[in-house]
Amino acid sequence: MVNGPNLGTLGVREPEIYGSVTLPQVHELCRSWGAEVQLEVDTYQSNHEGELIDRLLTADFDGVVINPGALTHYSYALHDALLAAGKPAVEVHISDVWTRERWRRRSVVAPACVYTIYGRGVMGYHWAIRHLAFRSRMPFRTLSYGPLDDLVFDLRNTDATRLAVLVHGGFWRHQWTRDLMDGMAVDLAGRGWATANLEYRRVGRGGGWPLSVDDVERGIRAAIDAVSADQVALIGHSAGAHLALLASERLPDVGVVSLAGITDLTEELGDGAVAGFLRGADPRAASPLHRRSFENPTLLVHGTLDDRVPPHQSARFAAGPRRRLLEVPGGDHFFFLYPERGLWQEVVSEIESFVSTLR
Ligand code: DQA
């Protein structure tokens, strides 16, 4: 893990932007986050471009998580060093570089990186480490379903006869992307599923109601075309479950698995996320709970300890026909994203038996 100029002052530097955690604390966290996914994390920080380059060219490593600081925006030398190192690099920015000064939107190192994460605070390092770990476990191909960078999905294990299309959450916000579902994608692929881990346009980068739903529907159709599967399940988490449920209205043959799903947008959630998604539109029209046109077999899974999306969001929707509710005692909002932590392993067998009932 490599941090560039000024990141040594984390915790002190502009805490309203970068938070109060110090770099040594981040390093410690990263070592434990790495251990969870069997990665040994070595850390390095320098304020000097040449030293960063020397380190990239001489160190022995399998992949790198790099926050190049301001060098992001102009260091072609760092871009070239990442290419020369020849190892997968994940670019991380603690702050939301997309909504700050315009010049921070441009990254000259991004083309030398396999993935970019920003705007998630120091948790960005957590997700970057996990992305590196999971991408190394099983090969995948990224296919486009439209002319924009966000209209893609990662395909794994395409020879399988059942397909899971995964739709990530993050309250529809742009800084949350499909790496959230990497663990689930790899776990399901290991169980003999083809998986398509879908990206779509999100609020802040062109998405919102109803465009994000249209993207998801198009992506699902493209994934179904790319894999000749006998059974298809749509698996969405949180806001991704909301999008999956809505998209499924026009995909009558598809079963839906809603994990900690949002079904009712008349309730405000995620600190203004619902209002940001709707931008003045009618919440009932955008709520699976209040629409009448759901025929698809649906399994709703919700942890009893979920403090982000209340369990009643699933329970109320489950009252309709062809729907089943599975409450997971002790489950929080995020356990679905951590296949290595056990609770997921209990739930996944229920998902598999639900899918086996689909035609
Ligand atoms: C940063 C964003 C850069 O624009 C800035 O120059 C930094 C930190 C971040 O982590 O948000 O130094 O990379």
Side-chain angles (χ1 to χ4, degrees):
M1 174 175 149
V2 172
N3 280 288
N6 299 312
L7 288 157
T9 63
L10 269 186
V12 179
R13 166 195 193 193
E14 300 174 277
E16 66 288 0
I17 296 175
Y18 297 107
S20 55
V21 183
T22 66
L23 191 64
Q25 288 170 332
V26 171
H27 288 168
E28 200 46 48
L29 284 167
C30 286
R31 277 189 279 277
S32 65
W33 290 331
E36 287 181 343
V37 286
Q38 280 89 53
L39 285 191
E40 198 182 310
V41 179
D42 192 15
T43 59
Y44 181 71
Q45 191 271 330
S46 172
N47 290 332
H48 305 281
E49 185 180 27
E51 283 182 6
L52 293 164
I53 292 169
D54 286 347
R55 185 73 175 205
L56 286 170
L57 296 182
T58 56
D60 181 22
F61 60 94
D62 299 316
V64 58
V65 170
I66 183 164
N67 183 347
L71 292 172
T72 306
H73 312 299
Y74 63 92
S75 177
Y76 292 104
L78 203 52
H79 166 278
D80 285 356
L82 288 167
L83 284 189
K87 296 288 163 50
V90 179
E91 176 189 7
V92 172
H93 302 289
I94 296 166
S95 67
D96 181 355
V97 284
W98 192 255
T99 55
R100 297 178 66 194
E101 300 92 326
R102 257 198 110 70
W103 56 267
R104 291 189 202 271
R105 284 193 186 188
R106 186 171 100 111
S107 167
V108 302
V109 303
C113 296
V114 293
Y115 207 82
T116 298
I117 289 171
Y118 65 87
R120 306 184 194 175
V122 296
M123 285 304 279
Y125 295 108
H126 169 83
W127 291 106
I129 288 167
R130 295 180 69 80
H131 179 70
L132 267 185
F134 289 120
R135 72 177 290 126
S136 71
R137 297 221 182 138
M138 183 177 283
F140 65 92
R141 282 185 300 142
T142 301
L143 302 190
S144 293
Y145 65 91
L148 301 167
D149 288 350
D150 281 332
L151 305 182
V152 294
F153 52 86
D154 297 331
L155 258 190
R156 290 179 167 88
N157 199 23
T158 47
D159 293 338
T161 56
R162 50 186 190 168
L163 167 67
V165 182
L166 310 183
V167 189
H168 72 82
F171 282 124
W172 310 281
R173 291 189 172 116
H174 60 109
Q175 59 271 49
W176 295 99
T177 55
R178 69 191 184 285
D179 60 286
L180 295 175
M181 302 294 256
D182 283 343
M184 196 186 297
V186 169
D187 186 74
L188 290 173
R191 293 168 185 276
W193 297 62
T195 61
N197 188 7
L198 206 68
E199 198 50 81
Y200 54 86
R201 275 173 285 180
R202 304 161 308 282
V203 173
R205 289 187 76 143
W209 168 258
L211 216 125
S212 299
V213 185
D214 297 340
D215 282 358
V216 167
E217 184 194 343
R218 261 206 292 167
I220 295 163
R221 290 186 191 280
I224 290 173
D225 284 349
V227 179
S228 50
D230 304 331
Q231 286 171 329
V232 181
L234 269 182
I235 305 182
H237 177 241
S238 191
H242 165 262
L243 298 172
L245 284 166
L246 291 176
S248 75
E249 277 187 76
R250 295 176 296 219
L251 297 155
D253 295 334
V254 169
V256 185
V257 180
S258 167
L259 307 173
I262 298 171
T263 68
D264 183 4
L265 274 59
T266 63
E267 178 176 10
E268 182 51 88
L269 296 166
D271 207 9
V274 170
F277 175 74
L278 290 172
R279 284 171 302 185
D282 174 10
R284 295 177 71 86
S287 295
L289 183 68
H290 299 293
R291 293 169 73 98
R292 300 241 166 258
S293 44
F294 286 96
E295 303 285 321
N296 307 54
T298 302
L299 173 67
L300 298 122
V301 189
H302 220 117
T304 56
L305 298 185
D306 193 328
D307 59 358
R308 307 297 164 107
V309 176
H312 66 242
Q313 287 265 339
S314 285
R316 287 178 191 155
F317 186 81
R322 304 182 80 192
R323 299 173 194 169
R324 220 191 103 207
L325 176 66
L326 175 66
E327 284 177 322
V328 183
D332 66 4
H333 187 62
F334 300 104
F335 79 87
F336 308 97
L337 311 182
Y338 295 88
E340 76 278 11
R341 288 188 192 167
L343 211 43
W344 166 253
Q345 301 298 329
E346 289 169 32
V347 164
V348 74
S349 53
E350 298 277 347
I351 293 174
E352 291 193 295
S353 61
F354 165 77
V355 173
S356 66
T357 65
L358 305 174
R359 65 154 199 98

